[in-house]
Amino acid sequence: MNRLNDKGFTLIEMMIVMVIISMLLLIAVPSVTKNKSVASSKGCEATVKLIQTQVRAYELENSVLPTDLETLKTAEYIDTTTCPDGGSLVYDETNGKVTSN
């Protein structure tokens, strides 16, 4: 039986492919996890800016700063009082400034 005409991969060829795939994963996985943390922090920054804008909108409509973030939520200016990554937001009622922890 002549096996020279059989189509397929040898064990060495399969091992080479596996090594190449492993090296690509070693490069890609750290980049993806780093990008996730960067995106999460940017999401919190965007939330702070959005809520800060809503504080000003509330102030323009009511001629007074909101007493806290829950006031904005109750009045349906905002949907949440936390960052997308679960971090908390801090509101200073004296000047209407919103920051993240």
Side-chain angles (χ1 to χ4, degrees), residues 20 33 39 53 59 77 80 89 96:
I20 291 171
T33 56
T53 302
E59 181 183 23
Y77 282 84
T80 183
L89 298 172

Side-chain angles (χ1 to χ4, degrees), residues 63-80:
S63 300
V64 64
L65 285 170
T67 55
D68 57 13
L69 294 179
E70 285 301 320
T71 303
L72 288 176
K73 191 172 182 182
T74 303
E76 296 183 349
Y77 282 84
I78 59 174
D79 294 329
T80 183

Side-chain angles (χ1 to χ4, degrees), residues 2-57:
N2 188 357
R3 302 199 96 194
L4 293 177
N5 291 331
D6 286 348
K7 303 273 184 199
F9 295 106
T10 65
L11 181 60
I12 298 296
E13 290 170 331
M14 292 299 289
M15 288 176 63
I16 290 172
V17 169
M18 292 301 291
V19 166
I20 291 171
I21 291 172
S22 297
M23 289 190 328
L24 289 173
L25 285 174
L26 286 173
I27 292 169
V29 170
S31 290
V32 170
T33 56
K34 179 183 175 191
N35 288 340
K36 184 178 178 184
S37 66
V38 168
S40 183
S41 70
K42 293 294 182 187
C44 193
E45 289 176 25
T47 301
V48 168
K49 288 179 182 179
L50 174 70
I51 293 177
Q52 186 67 59
T53 302
Q54 293 304 91
V55 166
R56 296 301 170 213

